Structure formats: C-alpha cells, structure tokens
Amino acid sequence: MHREIGPPLMLGRKMAAPGAEPQILVQYLVLRKDLSQAPFSWPAGALVAQACHAATAALHIHRDHPHTVAYLQELGRMRKVVLEAPDETTLKELAETLRQKNIDHMLWLEQPENVATCLALRPYLKEEVNQYLKKFRLFK
C-alpha cells in the first residue's frame, strides 16, 4: 500500500537545512529498571503497562501541541525511545529537571501506592531534549 509523506516528516523538512537529514519527532519514555529486579520483581507485562499509561497520558495532556498533533497524524511512523532509570529517586530527579527546563512530560504514579514508575515526554525533536536525558546517564 502506498503512503504519502505525512506531516511529521514535512515538519522536519521545513526545519532542516538543505541536504540535512529530516528531523523526526520522538516520544521518550523513562522506565524504572529496579521494578524488574528483586525485591520488586514486577513481570514484564506490568512494566509495559506502566510505560503505556505514561505515554498515553503525556499524549493526551499535550494533545493540542503542534508536535503532538503532527506525531499522531502518521500512526505508522511513530517513534518511541524507551530508556531506563535505575530507581524512583532518579526518575523523580529527572522529572524535576524537566519541569525546571519547561520540558513537557508526565510522571506516571501507580495507584493506590502513589509510586513513580515511568516518565513520558510529549513528542519532541531529539535535539530539543537529548541534553537533559544524557545528563542522567540514561543512554548506554
């Protein structure tokens, strides 16, 4: 089936210099690694659910932002990057840093325990947020 190039890539092409790679919108998620290990030992399905909750909430909250609108117009071209934080403290520190830098995100709190499990950003161009995520050494 033939698909036309949709708004996310067109957005990137308008912003990119001639001959440069198109800039792609990405939704970053940061999931707590310690939840998969003892003493928590959450099953993979529970962790995936936390990431899904955070991603969906971030998209919903920021649904009117032009990047989110463009990201959702081409469902087959969505890009997500899932990173890991070692623990809840690191995840909360990242959330605070993003808040201070006015980076739109959602810190998902599992209820009724009120435990931070995952953080999701609204869709961003990589260049806009990589510096904040790298600071927390979430990249390998």
Side-chain angles (χ1 to χ4, degrees):
M1 180 175 163
H2 176 70
R3 289 182 134 178
E4 292 182 32
I5 295 175
L9 291 178
M10 294 302 289
L11 172 73
R13 286 192 177 148
K14 289 178 187 171
M15 298 171 69
E21 289 291 316
Q23 294 176 312
I24 306 292
L25 292 169
V26 176
Q27 185 178 28
Y28 285 95
L29 292 94
V30 183
L31 190 60
R32 283 180 50 192
K33 182 176 183 165
D34 65 323
L35 293 175
S36 67
Q37 303 165 337
F40 303 107
S41 301
W42 286 23
L47 294 173
V48 170
Q50 298 305 303
C52 290
H53 291 322
T56 303
L59 291 171
H60 180 72
I61 289 168
H62 302 289
R63 66 188 170 274
D64 295 326
H65 189 282
H67 282 175
T68 304
V69 171
Y71 182 82
L72 292 172
Q73 285 179 347
E74 283 288 328
L75 297 179
R77 295 187 178 185
M78 290 181 161
R79 287 182 173 73
K80 288 186 173 45
V81 174
V82 181
L83 305 170
E84 57 187 37
D87 53 37
E88 186 176 22
T89 301
T90 304
L91 194 64
K92 287 182 173 180
E93 288 172 359
L94 174 60
E96 179 57 24
T97 296
L98 295 175
R99 187 192 65 75
Q100 290 173 5
K101 301 295 182 183
N102 293 315
I103 304 294
D104 296 332
H105 67 281
M106 172 68 186
L107 178 63
W108 186 258
L109 301 175
E110 179 62 10
Q111 299 300 324
E113 300 87 358
N114 207 39
V115 173
T117 58
C118 187
L119 181 148
L121 279 63
R122 70 157 168 82
Y124 274 94
L125 297 172
K126 286 183 179 184
E127 300 77 28
E128 293 180 297
V129 295
N130 271 358
Q131 62 183 318
Y132 305 113
L133 299 174
K134 284 182 179 178
K135 204 159 108 177
F136 279 84
R137 299 187 180 168
L138 303 174
F139 290 100
K140 296 279 182 194

